[in-house]
Amino acid sequence: MLPRGLTGVGAVRKGVGMWLPAKSPSPTGTRSAPMRPRGLKGALILLFLGLPALAQTLTLGGYVDKSQLTPTLELSHPFSGFTFELRATREALGLGLQRALELGPIGRLAYGGLVALGPGGAGGRVFLQGGVGPVALEAALAYAALPWKALWVGENDPKGLSGRLKGRFRLSSREVLALSLAYGDAGLGLLPWGRPTWGLEGVYAFREGPTYTVGLGHRGGPYGLFGLKGELDEEGSVGEVLLRAGARTALEARLYTSIGEDALRLRLALAYPLYLALEGEWRGLGLEGACGQEGYALWLRYRWAFGSEGR
Amino acid sequence: MRKTGVLLPLFLGVVLAQSVSGILGRVEENLSTPWQAVIQGKIQTPSGEEALLARVYALPKENLFRVEFEKPASLEGNFVVITEKEVWNYLFLTNQLVISPKEKAQIQGLGFTPLGDVKDLAERVSFRLVGEVRLEEGPAWKLLGQAKEGQGFAQMELYVPKADPRPVRFVFLDEERKVLAHLRVTSFKRAPLKPQALLRYPKDAQVVRR
């Protein structure tokens, strides 16, 4: 649940059609045998066949880890000033609404909520994120009767309460101060990394050509943070490396560039205790993979955009 | 005689209306090739008066404009791109590019952005010619515009030098004639701009489409 991309810029969640800006959650243990709600399968078949026709974006995928193999479906559609979102796996269904307050060049505030139903339980969360002038805020609060992993693939927050609060303040035109407090998974990749716990992090980022980042955090012990981010060419390609070292040690590298007209996004995370996460996205095709002490996970998705979403 | 008395205001109205459209037409023609400029001045914000400095890049034939903010410091790094159909708002702090259809876009307070897009400006503000004034740039027409609803200002004064017809000063006013912004155009020059340069944004930005 530690926020990604703490350089003060580019801290927003990547991913194809993901709901919230940070990866959540990490289950505290193995989950019980799945109980499939009656009728859910039929409803899901209808959803898979019918609703995509109404979607603004539609993402279909397949997810596999040691305990499950499931198709995934995500779709979003504008509705009366809101964006309606739906996501489904073989055993879980999530419905969400979000909207945003647009302030032009001054800023933007998005807010919304999600209700998710899974095998034998439900969960919900609300969020607010955005920035106005020199201040940006990211807040999310969630409660679930079962680990979030059972409600959506790749989410690893524990059952019960979880959440995060992160603020960024622009000290000057070149300096950003960020503070975050979170409870949940570290958010390094598809699989949990360590046990869900409290995390506190403070980061100072300054831009002098590239953006340099230094920070301190505490998550099961103290750690330091160092980052470097900068543009790599005239086309606006961006490279970023971020190292957390101490009680938590993880190296993350990101590359954002384009092949022809299409954006290519790559992310690699390497951590100790041993954990490897890889992500890539190009032309609507997304691939995420992770392996660590919990085994492995792989998620392949393809996203279609319709109407004004298409370019 | 009586007839003439009735017709005179109408006749004058037609002449002045033609003058305004003539002036705006000359501005449009003068700004039809690629150019760039700096806009600076003072604006009223919720926290008081602040300095504004922005660089404007224009490709009028392609209907493409880009405004990069340098002041106030809280907006440095933010930019707006206006295309024929869309408005892009890039927000540095959250690293988001918010793309909106023009009809949904929030460009309040940015009446100066399409300073080369006279047709668009005339659609949002109805101008009348107030008279002529002498500026540093030489004799200039002073136009007073009444904004249509939802522009973020009530009136706008626009100053256009006769020798080089392009807007050089803007004054935005609210309903009580209080000055919301007083802006000047400096460092104007013709420049060989490329559309790709105006559409450029950091590749790691989160693109949000409305």
Side-chain angles (χ1 to χ4, degrees):
Chain A
M1 168 92 60
L2 284 175
R4 294 173 166 196
L6 285 166
T7 51
V9 290
V12 185
R13 171 87 171 108
K14 47 77 224 178
V16 191
M18 292 298 291
W19 179 255
L20 279 177
K23 259 226 172 144
S24 304
S26 144
T28 49
T30 54
R31 64 195 163 86
S32 56
M35 296 183 298
R36 295 181 188 180
R38 272 190 187 177
L40 185 56
K41 194 172 178 180
L44 289 180
I45 289 172
L46 272 179
L47 287 173
F48 272 81
L49 295 177
L51 277 181
L54 302 172
Q56 185 181 42
T57 65
L58 166 67
T59 308
L60 292 178
Y63 173 88
V64 60
D65 66 18
K66 68 179 181 186
S67 61
Q68 66 171 327
L69 168 64
T70 179
T72 63
L73 174 149
E74 297 149 83
L75 61 83
S76 69
H77 191 77
F79 176 73
S80 220
F82 286 84
T83 299
F84 167 77
E85 302 211 0
L86 178 146
R87 65 190 204 188
T89 65
R90 199 191 306 277
E91 294 169 351
L93 176 68
L95 297 171
L97 273 182
Q98 61 171 301
R99 88 182 294 179
L101 182 63
E102 307 286 350
L103 303 167
I106 310 296
R108 179 178 196 268
L109 279 175
Y111 54 94
L114 167 82
V115 174
L117 302 170
R125 68 176 162 225
V126 289
F127 79 92
L128 168 74
Q129 67 177 91
V132 179
V135 181
L137 183 72
E138 221 176 291
L141 186 64
Y143 180 83
L146 65 176
W148 277 90
K149 192 173 179 59
L151 297 169
W152 186 238
V153 298
E155 293 193 350
N156 298 312
D157 275 337
K159 68 188 270 189
L161 275 172
S162 58
R164 69 185 155 279
L165 181 64
K166 178 180 176 184
R168 282 202 298 281
F169 184 71
R170 204 162 174 175
L171 298 170
S172 71
S173 62
R174 300 189 176 278
E175 299 168 292
V176 174
L177 186 67
L179 288 169
S180 68
L181 176 67
Y183 178 74
D185 177 56
L188 204 59
L190 276 181
L191 292 170
W193 179 48
R195 296 181 58 185
T197 183
W198 285 96
L200 177 66
E201 196 170 84
V203 169
Y204 170 74
F206 63 98
R207 201 164 41 127
E208 198 59 61
T211 300
Y212 302 90
T213 305
V214 291
L216 287 173
H218 194 281
R219 190 178 180 89
Y223 62 87
L225 181 149
F226 312 91
L228 176 65
K229 173 177 169 171
E231 293 205 348
L232 304 173
D233 57 30
E234 285 297 310
E235 279 69 49
S237 298
V238 173
E240 180 181 9
V241 288
L242 190 64
L243 174 69
R244 290 185 176 88
R248 294 276 174 155
T249 299
L251 176 69
E252 289 179 78
R254 291 182 170 88
L255 174 68
Y256 306 87
T257 186
S258 54
I259 299 178
E261 294 286 303
D262 301 295
L264 171 70
R265 295 169 175 241
L266 296 170
R267 175 177 173 267
L268 167 72
L270 188 59
Y272 182 83
L274 203 59
Y275 186 103
L276 175 70
L278 278 167
E279 292 171 28
E281 186 188 334
W282 181 66
R283 295 194 75 165
L285 183 66
L287 175 66
E288 287 185 57
C291 66
Q293 292 173 326
E294 298 237 352
Y296 72 93
L298 197 62
W299 193 9
L300 181 64
R301 288 185 284 181
Y302 190 79
R303 179 178 189 262
W304 289 268
F306 310 98
S308 63
E309 183 77 11
R311 295 205 56 190
Chain B
M1 239 354 243
R2 207 170 154 192
K3 246 184 194 174
T4 314
V6 171
L7 289 177
L8 191 61
L10 284 175
F11 176 72
L12 280 175
V14 168
V15 168
L16 287 176
Q18 278 177 343
S19 298
V20 169
S21 67
I23 292 166
L24 295 179
R26 289 178 66 180
V27 170
E28 189 179 3
E29 194 186 335
N30 189 30
L31 294 180
S32 62
T33 55
W35 53 268
Q36 65 182 64
V38 172
I39 295 203
Q40 53 188 322
K42 302 279 184 192
I43 53 167
Q44 288 295 333
T45 68
S47 53
E49 191 179 76
E50 288 196 76
L52 183 129
L53 180 69
R55 294 184 186 280
V56 183
Y57 301 88
L59 279 169
K61 288 229 166 81
E62 283 86 351
N63 259 321
L64 193 55
F65 301 88
R66 179 183 176 106
V67 182
E68 295 179 351
F69 293 93
E70 291 190 12
K71 283 181 187 173
S74 61
L75 293 187
E76 189 185 342
N78 289 10
F79 62 80
V80 179
V81 175
I82 301 171
T83 71
E84 193 167 354
K85 292 180 180 169
E86 294 175 330
V87 175
W88 297 9
N89 272 306
Y90 175 75
L91 305 168
F92 172 82
L93 191 58
T94 53
N95 198 26
Q96 287 176 309
L97 183 74
V98 183
I99 299 179
S100 315
K102 241 179 183 169
E103 59 272 20
K104 276 192 189 175
Q106 299 280 323
I107 47 175
Q108 286 111 329
L110 283 175
F112 64 88
T113 54
L115 76 172
D117 192 352
V118 175
K119 275 183 197 154
D120 182 71
L121 188 61
E123 275 174 24
R124 299 189 290 117
V125 181
S126 48
F127 285 103
R128 66 186 170 85
L129 179 61
V130 176
E132 287 183 26
V133 290
R134 177 160 281 282
L135 302 176
E136 285 168 29
E137 294 88 352
W141 290 296
K142 179 181 176 183
L143 304 177
L144 183 64
Q146 203 70 36
K148 292 171 186 170
E149 269 184 44
Q151 301 301 319
F153 59 92
Q155 287 188 324
M156 176 183 185
E157 290 174 9
L158 189 66
Y159 296 83
V160 179
K162 293 170 82 172
D164 180 13
R166 58 183 174 83
V168 291
R169 284 184 203 189
F170 301 84
V171 181
F172 295 89
L173 305 149
D174 67 7
E175 286 87 358
E176 292 157 7
R177 302 257 326 145
K178 190 181 152 202
V179 175
L180 297 172
H182 194 148
L183 305 168
R184 290 186 62 187
V185 180
T186 60
S187 308
F188 178 88
K189 63 177 178 187
R190 314 278 170 189
L193 301 171
K194 296 258 163 41
Q196 302 93 302
L198 271 66
L199 293 167
R200 189 173 180 273
Y201 64 89
K203 291 282 188 287
D204 63 329
Q206 182 201 27
V207 178
V208 179
R209 284 191 167 267
R210 293 175 65 200

